[in-house]
Amino acid sequence: MDSIIKVEKISQYNALKDIETKHPLISVFDNTNTKNLPNHCKMHFGFYAIFLKAGNCGELKYGRNTYDYDDGTLVFISPGQVIEINNEDNYQPTGLALLFHPDLIKGTALGKQMSQYSFFSYDSNEALHLSLKEQQIIKDLFSKLEYELDQSIDKHSKSIMTNNIELLLNYCIRFYDRQFITRENINTDILSKFENLLNDYFLSDTTQDLGLPSVGYFADRLHLSPNYFGDLIKKETGKSAQEHMQLKLIDVAKEKIFDPEKSISQIAFELGFKYPQHFNRMFKKSTGFTPNEYRMMN
């Protein structure tokens, strides 16, 4: 598999699917009666895509994971992502699709807040699984967008379409919150593994090799995307993964400061800081005291 198909425009994707382009910046369609995409290839997207899968919808792969999508799965793709397509020769796609170009939402309220919809950067095995009622809400919003595309474009078209996309994405935030809650046992296991990895990070020589811990490091070790991992930790604990790492770092620093044989600079380097002054600032911000002041108090 060495061919990469770049689809920068909505019309290019529509052409691959043999779909009429009703608007240059947005497309809504039912996959059931469309042409199959080229098989065993990679596709680079230049726009946002949301797929509501129905039945056995074949195999997509991006990042490290492959996912065989079940009925009622919602998949999100953002500009710049590369998707691998591997399906059986007799595969027939089903389900609904929404494509919209970043240019559609430029200058709108939605365009200014797209970064809050972090699920566009989730891995494929972190897709959103909808209940029947949730599916119906999403289908209704797809229908409203499709209806709008069938009307003559006027001064209201853009705001109506972007408002409906924003509403759809806000529902997805709610549904993901529900999914985080219903997967409590899995999430608890991830939290436990995160705590163990965090302990190991500071007990080993990892800080000497990699420096200060990062969200990406732990997400990779837990086989999650950084955004999904960060959102899960925040929703489960109320604190961000970065806050957890900083709290652990300060706890370890306090223990090391009790050792009078080590200088503050030495402790800073052991913790992964390149410059002792950065350690001093972080420690004082967290505790209200400089490392030296804390040492003298104790």
Side-chain angles (χ1 to χ4, degrees):
M1 181 190 297
D2 53 5
S3 62
I4 297 181
I5 301 173
K6 288 190 175 183
V7 280
E8 302 298 329
K9 299 178 180 179
I10 300 294
S11 58
Q12 289 175 298
Y13 191 92
N14 287 347
L16 289 171
K17 298 287 290 181
D18 197 19
I19 298 167
E20 177 189 358
T21 298
K22 299 177 181 178
H23 191 291
L25 300 179
I26 182 172
S27 182
V28 182
F29 56 89
D30 186 333
N31 257 312
T32 306
N33 299 314
T34 62
K35 185 179 177 182
N36 285 353
L37 291 172
N39 206 0
H40 307 300
C41 72
K42 293 181 180 179
M43 184 168 289
H44 178 278
F45 281 70
F47 44 80
Y48 295 97
I50 302 174
F51 297 102
L52 175 61
K53 300 297 185 176
N56 181 355
C57 294
E59 179 184 291
L60 291 180
K61 179 179 179 181
Y62 57 98
R64 299 178 296 270
N65 299 293
T66 298
Y67 197 90
D68 294 316
Y69 296 100
D70 297 320
D71 186 31
T73 299
L74 208 55
V75 184
F76 303 88
I77 297 171
S78 62
Q81 284 187 327
V82 177
I83 309 300
E84 288 186 25
I85 302 171
N86 293 301
N87 296 314
E88 299 296 331
D89 292 336
N90 59 352
Y91 162 71
Q92 175 58 48
T94 56
L96 305 176
L98 164 63
L99 318 175
F100 62 98
H101 198 277
D103 287 350
L104 178 72
I105 60 175
K106 277 184 179 177
T108 68
L110 175 59
K112 295 174 184 176
Q113 60 189 32
M114 276 303 292
S115 60
Q116 78 171 352
Y117 303 112
S118 52
F119 43 77
F120 275 102
S121 298
Y122 288 178
D123 275 348
S124 53
N125 64 326
E126 300 155 355
L128 179 58
H129 302 279
L130 303 175
S131 68
L132 291 176
K133 287 184 177 180
E134 291 169 349
Q135 287 182 53
Q136 191 56 54
I137 291 171
I138 298 300
K139 288 177 180 178
D140 288 344
L141 287 166
F142 271 68
S143 295
K144 288 179 180 179
L145 286 165
E146 192 170 21
Y147 170 83
E148 189 60 32
L149 281 173
D150 287 334
Q151 309 309 305
S152 298
I153 296 176
D154 58 29
K155 64 180 182 179
H156 303 290
S157 299
K158 182 174 180 176
S159 62
I160 290 174
M161 288 189 288
T162 55
N163 287 343
N164 275 289
I165 294 173
E166 183 177 358
L167 181 58
L168 188 153
L169 297 179
N170 287 337
Y171 268 115
C172 291
I173 290 178
R174 170 185 280 182
F175 298 156
Y176 257 117
D177 283 347
R178 184 268 310 153
Q179 183 162 294
F180 279 120
I181 292 170
T182 55
R183 295 185 173 188
E184 184 177 356
N185 291 337
I186 297 173
N187 297 345
T188 301
D189 185 49
I190 290 171
L191 282 173
S192 177
K193 289 179 179 177
F194 173 45
E195 290 296 332
N196 291 334
L197 286 169
L198 197 52
N199 288 330
D200 291 342
Y201 194 94
F202 286 106
L203 289 173
S204 65
D205 295 327
T206 309
T207 52
Q208 304 297 306
D209 299 328
L210 300 179
L212 293 172
S214 67
V215 172
Y217 171 84
F218 292 106
D220 187 65
R221 295 295 297 274
L222 293 166
H223 307 294
L224 299 171
S225 66
N227 275 354
Y228 186 89
F229 170 65
D231 289 347
L232 185 152
I233 297 298
K234 181 73 172 178
K235 292 180 191 299
E236 287 292 316
T237 68
K239 292 186 178 70
S240 68
Q242 194 68 45
E243 288 174 312
H244 277 276
M245 291 186 292
Q246 185 169 320
L247 287 171
K248 184 65 180 179
L249 186 150
I250 296 300
D251 284 342
V252 174
K254 288 177 178 178
E255 292 295 328
K256 288 181 177 289
I257 287 172
F258 288 147
D259 184 353
E261 300 298 319
K262 292 182 178 180
S263 69
I264 298 303
S265 293
Q266 185 179 354
I267 291 170
F269 291 130
E270 286 181 359
L271 291 170
F273 287 89
K274 289 184 178 180
Y275 306 103
Q277 57 267 36
H278 292 172
F279 168 56
N280 291 344
R281 281 200 295 269
M282 179 183 286
F283 192 89
K284 184 169 184 178
K285 185 177 180 180
S286 298
T287 66
F289 305 99
T290 66
N292 272 321
E293 289 171 343
Y294 189 83
R295 172 175 277 177
M296 295 299 293
M297 289 171 56
N298 292 276

